[in-house]
Amino acid sequence: MFEPDGTPEPDPAELERIYRRAPVGALTVAGIATGLVFALWLAFYLIVFLPRGFLS
Amino acid sequence: MSLLGNRPLGGLATITVVVVGCFAFAIGFILLPAAEPQATLWERICRAAGSSTAIGANTGGAALPGFTSVVLPASAMTRGTPLQIGRGATLALRCTACHGAQGLSGANAPNLAGQYPEVIYKQLVDFKRGARSDAVMGALVAALTEKDMLDLAHYYAYLPRQESDQPLAAAPPLVRVGDPMRNIAPCASCHGSQDGKTGAPALEGEPQTYLRTQLTAFATGTRKNDPNAVMRGEVRRMTAAEIDGLARHYAGVSPENAAGAYP
Amino acid sequence: MIKARGLILAHFWTAFVLFFAALWLGEWQMLIRSPLHAWISIPEHYYRSVTAHGTVMAYVFPLLVAMGFGYAISELSLKQPLIGIRWAWAAYALVAAGALMAAGAVASGAASVLYTFYPPLIGSPFYYIGVVLVVVGSWMWVALMAVNLHRWRKTNPGKIVPLPMYANVAGAYLWAWTAVGAALEILLQILPVALGFKTTIDAGLARVLFSWTLHAIVYFWLMPAYIAFYVIVPRAIGGRLYSDVMARLSFALFLVFAMPIGIHHLFADPQVGSGFKYVHSVFTGMVVIPTLLTVFTICASVEIAARLRGGKGILGWVRALPWRNPAMLGLAFSFVMLGFGGAGGLINMSYQLDSTVHNTQWITGHFHLIFAGAVVIMYFVLAYDLWPHLTGRPLGQLDLIRAQLWLWLIGMLVMTIPWHLAGLLGMPRRMAYFDYSNPAIAPQAWTVTAAVIGGAMLVGSGALFIFILFRSYFGPRLSLSEYRFSAPVHVTAVPKALNGFAVWVALMIALTIANYGVPIAQLMFAKTNVPAVFYFNR
Amino acid sequence: MNAATPDAGGAEADVAERRWAMVSTGLVVALLGVIAFTGLHWASMPLSAIEPIDPTTLHISGEFVEQNLGAQLRPDGSVIVRLIAQQYAFNPQCIEIPVNTKITFRGTSADVVHGFLVTGTNANAMLVPGYITTFSTQFSHLGDHLMPCHEYCGTGHAAMWAHVRVVPSKEFERNILGNEGGHCD
């Protein structure tokens, strides 16, 4: 219900062109986001977990 | 044309899952326990599966004299039969001088009417075995059998309890919320009015002097028949004034009327 | 127009009203344990409230949303009237009756055992029976989803199951098997004791069985949100779904990997060997993969929308996204919270790393970010999206909707990020009060105050949500075009395995047995029953 | 979208998704690798032994009778700490241990499920009635730590806080010999 009224159907050729180069942007954004998530994990591991000692 | 579409995806997925599983089990059960020195492969696998034979830190030990040795039987926690209650009533004739004809004491002995049966049973056994000492009680319980003690417990549990009409919200903080940093639990979370704990007595209406004496005995360690030091731990860090306040509260004596002795 | 709209609206309204009530309980809990308030005079009231909050938020609310959404998906994507609508009403009645019964037991103070049950604590049997009724009702929904799909296949031989229904049925099957762990715990362990047939119970076994449910239920909560990511958002922002097949694969992988990982909740427990703990850690890692696939596919889908709107550059396209569109806002907020929550989740599941945060306020922060944040904000979005098709009336101005979503995001972050920090400082979960005068606890006090503020924003956002939905009834009647789900850029061939569930359900059951069989069997034969501790006012 | 016939396109998405899937899997495998390395290199892993124990007889016989609770020095110089959790207190309520020494905790519950953590450290475990919890660790910082129960154990849960006091080894040995060691109740 959110789409603006009368969104025109995209031109198939234009859509295909966008589709073919699309993942570049998604790869960048998803890559940065995922990288940050794993970086947070690594930061926790190094800064919080390791100095607090080990259980065995 | 889909690249995935050409492949038998189900088989591929199954193989992947099996491979991941094998790696996970190999690392978890063989490689990681290798950090434990001097273990054979089989011992490592058993250890990782939770086998405890490798630990062997079990040190023996037996309770020292003066500590309780009671394990509460299920028969002490159920409602008594009419036969038990009747027999208990006969036996209780010997107790009336201190504990009152209806289990409500006129002296400074505890009220027993409506007390939980397992509580009475446990204290009787502790008196009998010497984990709790009292000149009068020691002599009285000497002749009681296991069955006698159970029947007595069920008789007193059957008598109507004195109910408190004080709302919990008006009780002293130690009763409601305790003191976390001194590890003093709220009295109400074990001794009724909010929540109960097996083996913990109901305290409402007990004589003030009796309560103060017992709390002090727990605090100093002269009484130690509480299993795992459950009461000694709670009382150890209380001040004398706090003990006094608790005794007054449970005796039903309001602070404004503190001079009025029980009953 | 949806035919079963009365049924769906009943589910949604019940869900949202209960949700709003439980939201208030949550805020009250934060307030009374904060330094802004004196210690609660009767702590049992706090735990009563936590039990109610958890039971509604973890069981009843997401179940009702998933059920209502499932019925809508079945009608809209299969384009056939819902089969078994009487059964659906019966299922609704069971869930509602169960919820009422459980609520009664909790409200009376006879079941303050928390929604995670915690045997050997035993509460009123009515609480557990209520929960069982809720689960039985939900299983009827699972059966109805299967029946509707089966009928569609008969009338449409050889055709590919529409993605929304595929995902929906995956979620239903996931739930059916997820609930088995807790059902076994309640039926075989807890109820016989609560009803007085037994006096002892194995607390360790109960925890293992509950862990079976406890983590997979999170993926069941996620399902409606993920379905909305794939089949609502790309359409709502004028884009295309990047890959239909990858979407199916993600849902199939959730089905496989959601279950055999629950022992990562028991890393600190003494009744499971470390080998199984590591295996569950690895498989928890595997369940990260469908989420990462989803993040990429959805990013690519919205990128298409942005470029269709003239977006340029490697990152510049992000600015061309329709940021005033509530579906876009909801998605972005959901991803932000999924990111923070996901990082915390990776830490929790990492075998040894869990010991730093286990059972601290960190964990509470984590699952509020993931569920109450990333997932529930998508519940809002999917409800908004379906609403006009259910009521036949518009939602009115989008400004309020945007405000509602913003408030939810900010409130959730203000509440949960301090909770994570409090956990690192060693603040344990589930305390009714703290002695902030102690110098070791004083540094944590501000985090609880922050939670009160964040919680107030969440209550405000919840109130706005209810208001927006309610106000729509006073709008003019709409004549709506047919409801559509997102279309993929390309309709590709779907591998046979991804048009059905046989392989995935088989793998799900096999992996559960492989990863849980021995830990459960070990404890069934161990002599570790302990006396039940009855939680009743005596 | 449903039931449409496949068109000719769509291969690009597959390639991109497969690459992304490989990168994702690589990240997860790396993370699991770090965990395995941590386990191997520092012998660090969650507790493993399943040791049953009867919670109703803890106070009568076995290693958890009262005089055994608290810290004890072992012949190899390490320290063993035995503790019981019950509604609503730990026993001992204050544990004294030496710094930079291997400490083996052995604990169990006398009634319901409890748990404990020592603030600022990784010492963190559940105490489940019917089972003994065992793990070893070291404390590198002198001073007092809080040790709350971190699992809901009933209405008195919020008052269940114990203390851990980490002292220099000399002081610990002196207290142990003076028969005051092991706990600071």
Side-chain angles (χ1 to χ4, degrees):
Chain A
M1 84 135 262
F2 301 124
E3 50 270 59
D5 288 333
T7 315
E9 269 299 301
D11 168 38
E14 168 76 354
L15 181 63
E16 183 63 22
R17 190 188 61 77
I18 288 172
Y19 163 75
R20 279 171 189 274
R21 75 162 299 229
V24 178
L27 259 176
T28 315
V29 171
I32 292 171
T34 308
L36 283 176
V37 166
F38 280 81
L40 276 174
W41 180 88
L42 196 63
F44 180 93
Y45 177 79
L46 296 173
I47 299 169
V48 184
F49 170 73
L50 286 183
R52 290 192 180 200
F54 302 102
L55 306 190
S56 56
Chain B
M1 196 63 237
S2 162
L3 290 178
L4 271 173
N6 287 338
R7 293 158 192 245
L9 187 60
L12 199 71
T14 311
I15 291 168
T16 312
V17 164
V18 169
V19 169
V20 170
C22 287
F23 265 102
F25 273 90
I27 295 175
F29 281 82
I30 298 170
L31 194 60
L32 283 178
E36 296 292 309
Q38 302 134 7
T40 65
L41 180 66
W42 180 242
E43 279 166 358
R44 280 182 209 164
I45 294 175
C46 288
R47 173 88 205 274
S51 159
S52 56
T53 45
I55 296 280
N58 258 300
T59 326
L64 298 174
F67 292 99
T68 186
S69 57
V70 177
V71 177
L72 290 172
S75 57
M77 293 176 224
T78 50
R79 203 183 284 263
T81 64
L83 195 70
Q84 282 179 306
I85 293 167
R87 216 176 146 267
T90 315
L91 287 164
L93 290 173
R94 272 179 279 176
C95 317
T96 50
C98 297
H99 293 289
Q102 283 295 305
L104 298 175
S105 171
N108 276 327
N111 298 323
L112 298 178
Q115 189 53 276
Y116 304 119
E118 85 272 7
V119 171
I120 301 174
Y121 168 81
K122 175 177 178 296
Q123 298 306 322
L124 288 173
V125 178
D126 278 345
F127 278 124
K128 192 172 161 75
R129 295 184 189 166
R132 188 177 173 186
S133 55
D134 179 271
V136 181
M137 284 302 292
L140 280 169
V141 295
L144 293 180
T145 65
E146 182 79 9
K147 182 171 166 24
D148 292 342
M149 293 188 282
L150 270 176
D151 291 349
L152 270 169
H154 284 304
Y155 165 68
Y156 279 113
Y158 152 87
L159 294 175
R161 183 190 307 169
Q162 271 196 322
E163 294 293 348
S164 163
D165 52 1
Q166 293 191 49
L168 179 59
L174 279 187
V175 173
R176 295 180 288 105
V177 290
D179 186 0
M181 288 305 115
R182 288 187 288 163
N183 194 188
I184 299 173
C187 310
S189 54
C190 294
H191 293 286
S193 56
Q194 172 165 295
D195 195 357
K197 176 177 160 101
T198 304
L203 296 179
E204 267 95 10
E206 294 298 343
Q208 186 183 346
T209 317
Y210 173 73
L211 288 171
R212 188 175 51 235
T213 314
Q214 297 307 316
L215 286 173
T216 311
F218 278 130
T220 55
T222 48
R223 179 177 171 187
K224 48 189 178 185
N225 70 325
D226 51 331
N228 308 317
V230 60
M231 271 313 290
R232 279 167 287 158
E234 301 297 352
V235 185
R236 184 182 290 130
R237 291 181 171 88
M238 286 183 195
T239 63
E242 284 170 335
I243 287 177
D244 211 42
L246 290 177
R248 270 208 307 270
H249 165 73
Y250 276 109
V253 184
S254 59
E256 306 87 65
N257 193 20
Y262 183 87
Chain C
M1 197 84 175
I2 305 165
K3 292 226 168 47
R5 56 184 179 274
L7 176 76
I8 296 162
L9 278 171
H11 281 78
F12 279 180
W13 269 123
T14 313
F16 297 144
V17 167
L18 285 173
F19 159 77
F20 189 52
L23 206 53
W24 277 100
L25 290 180
E27 173 63 354
W28 175 78
Q29 287 156 216
M30 281 309 104
L31 177 66
I32 60 107
R33 82 209 286 256
S34 77
L36 307 174
H37 195 279
W39 286 1
I40 186 170
S41 65
I42 301 178
E44 191 268 333
H45 292 171
Y46 175 82
Y47 300 110
R48 206 184 284 195
S49 175
V50 177
T51 309
H53 177 85
T55 306
V56 168
M57 294 304 205
Y59 300 142
V60 184
F61 166 56
L63 254 177
L64 285 170
V65 169
M67 288 166 77
F69 191 36
Y71 294 132
I73 288 173
S74 178
E75 274 209 8
L76 292 169
S77 72
L78 301 181
K79 301 189 195 308
Q80 66 180 24
L82 187 70
I83 298 160
I85 199 157
R86 279 163 193 255
W87 286 102
W89 276 110
Y92 169 78
L94 266 183
V95 173
L100 271 181
M101 186 187 274
V106 174
S108 74
S112 302
V113 293
L114 305 200
Y115 82 98
T116 34
F117 308 141
Y118 292 130
L121 278 181
I122 299 288
S124 157
F126 291 108
Y127 175 62
Y128 307 109
I129 295 171
V131 173
V132 168
L133 290 182
V134 169
V135 171
V136 171
S138 70
W139 278 341
M140 288 168 66
W141 165 75
V142 173
L144 283 172
M145 290 300 96
V147 166
N148 276 276
L149 180 60
H150 181 72
R151 171 70 63 86
W152 183 87
R153 281 194 209 269
K154 281 214 151 163
T155 48
N156 297 273
K159 287 193 182 162
I160 301 295
V161 178
L163 173 63
M165 190 61 178
Y166 186 80
N168 179 35
V169 174
Y173 289 164
L174 175 77
W175 171 248
W177 187 242
T178 297
V180 168
L184 290 175
E185 183 197 3
I186 294 184
L187 296 176
L188 301 182
Q189 291 197 279
I190 295 179
L191 267 181
V193 179
L195 292 170
F197 300 121
K198 270 181 74 190
T199 56
T200 61
I201 188 164
D202 189 327
L205 177 60
R207 287 176 67 79
V208 173
L209 286 175
F210 194 75
S211 79
W212 167 340
T213 295
L214 186 56
H215 201 74
I217 199 174
V218 176
Y219 290 98
F220 172 67
W221 298 337
L222 283 172
M223 280 293 179
Y226 274 52
I227 295 173
F229 288 162
Y230 281 108
V231 305
I232 291 180
V233 174
R235 185 221 73 222
I237 64 168
R240 285 285 196 278
L241 179 58
Y242 183 63
S243 168
D244 172 274
V245 175
M246 275 300 153
R248 288 168 199 268
L249 186 63
S250 294
F251 286 106
L253 291 180
F254 276 128
L255 205 49
V256 175
F257 291 125
M259 231 75 53
I261 62 177
I263 283 178
H264 77 242
H265 289 246
L266 306 181
F267 284 152
D269 274 44
Q271 76 278 10
V272 182
S274 63
F276 294 107
K277 288 173 178 171
Y278 185 76
V279 169
H280 280 243
S281 190
V282 169
F283 279 96
T284 318
M286 299 310 293
V287 85
V288 174
I289 290 168
T291 288
L292 292 178
L293 286 180
T294 300
V295 168
F296 176 68
T297 308
I298 300 304
C299 278
S301 305
V302 301
E303 185 187 352
I304 292 173
R307 294 198 188 281
L308 281 172
R309 293 162 57 92
K312 297 273 182 285
I314 285 188
L315 279 171
W317 60 273
V318 173
R319 259 179 294 148
L321 283 168
W323 287 109
R324 293 182 59 76
N325 185 317
M328 186 64 229
L329 268 192
L331 171 75
F333 294 170
S334 180
F335 272 16
V336 167
M337 293 188 274
L338 191 65
F340 282 115
L346 285 177
I347 289 162
N348 302 340
M349 71 89 177
S350 295
Y351 202 49
Q352 312 98 336
L353 270 63
D354 165 72
S355 65
T356 312
V357 293
H358 174 75
N359 256 349
T360 65
Q361 197 65 29
W362 167 288
I363 303 296
T364 323
H366 164 70
F367 69 74
H368 276 81
L369 257 184
I370 288 280
F371 174 53
V375 171
V376 168
I377 207 163
M378 291 310 290
Y379 289 1
F380 298 149
V381 169
L382 71 88
Y384 288 143
D385 193 61
L386 282 172
W387 210 252
H389 295 267
L390 294 169
T391 61
R393 294 164 198 275
L395 278 176
Q397 283 300 311
L398 297 187
D399 284 341
L400 266 187
I401 296 181
R402 282 189 281 268
Q404 191 260 327
L405 296 174
W406 270 108
L407 207 51
W408 193 261
L409 170 80
I410 295 170
M412 196 54 72
L413 293 179
V414 168
M415 181 171 83
T416 54
I417 289 179
W419 277 359
H420 280 80
L421 298 173
L424 293 182
L425 294 173
M427 177 186 265
R429 290 168 78 172
R430 304 183 180 115
M431 291 271 169
Y433 45 91
F434 292 94
D435 188 346
Y436 298 111
S437 68
N438 183 288
I441 296 180
Q444 301 162 13
W446 72 272
T447 65
V448 192
T449 307
V452 179
I453 297 165
M457 293 183 187
L458 296 174
V459 170
S461 176
L464 260 182
F465 175 65
I466 300 278
F467 172 74
I468 292 165
L469 296 186
F470 185 70
R471 190 187 56 172
S472 81
Y473 284 92
F474 301 97
R477 283 219 159 267
L478 274 179
S479 63
L480 283 159
S481 49
E482 193 189 9
Y483 185 89
R484 292 180 304 121
F485 291 107
S486 312
V489 182
H490 288 286
V491 180
T492 51
V494 172
K496 196 156 171 278
L498 288 175
N499 193 32
F501 299 96
V503 181
W504 315 111
V505 170
L507 280 175
M508 167 179 87
I509 294 174
L511 263 183
T512 311
I513 291 169
N515 284 7
Y516 267 109
V518 173
I520 290 174
Q522 269 175 321
L523 299 181
M524 278 169 62
F525 295 109
K527 298 232 179 315
T528 39
N529 276 1
V530 300
V533 175
F534 289 93
Y535 181 87
F536 289 113
N537 286 323
R538 300 215 290 185
Chain D
M1 61 169 285
N2 53 319
T5 40
D7 57 36
E12 290 79 5
D14 255 11
V15 174
E17 296 271 12
R18 268 169 18 117
R19 282 195 189 135
W20 174 258
M22 277 191 267
V23 172
S24 309
T25 312
L27 279 171
V28 170
V29 168
L31 187 154
L32 293 170
V34 174
I35 294 172
F37 169 79
T38 310
L40 277 174
H41 189 69
W42 286 291
S44 161
M45 61 175 70
L47 36 156
S48 189
I50 306 176
E51 286 182 86
I53 189 165
D54 181 356
T56 62
T57 57
L58 297 178
H59 58 294
I60 297 175
S61 62
E63 64 174 299
F64 291 98
V65 294
E66 222 169 296
Q67 69 271 21
N68 282 354
L69 300 179
Q72 289 174 359
L73 198 55
R74 290 207 285 190
D76 64 357
S78 71
V79 167
I80 189 160
V81 173
R82 291 195 182 79
L83 63 112
I84 288 178
Q86 60 193 338
Q87 289 173 324
Y88 295 98
F90 290 99
N91 187 9
Q93 292 170 300
C94 180
I95 301 165
E96 186 177 284
I97 43 173
V99 71
N100 291 329
T101 307
K102 183 184 175 193
I103 313 281
T104 300
F105 280 91
R106 284 178 69 76
T108 190
S109 161
D111 39 44
V112 299
V113 180
H114 301 273
F116 70 95
L117 59 85
V118 180
T119 50
T121 75
N122 279 336
N124 190 330
M126 303 302 301
L127 298 167
V128 181
Y131 303 85
I132 298 175
T133 294
T134 303
F135 67 91
S136 300
T137 189
Q138 295 203 359
F139 294 92
S140 52
H141 295 288
L142 290 171
D144 285 357
H145 302 260
L146 291 174
M147 189 181 112
C149 172
H150 64 36
E151 189 59 283
Y152 176 66
C153 54
T155 54
H157 168 57
M160 193 164 163
W161 294 71
H163 301 261
V164 170
R165 179 170 299 160
V166 183
V167 298
S169 301
K170 285 262 158 54
E171 186 180 335
F172 175 78
E173 279 165 34
R174 202 166 53 234
N175 287 345
I176 277 277
L177 291 175
N179 221 4
E180 293 163 3
H183 61 79
C184 30
D185 283 339

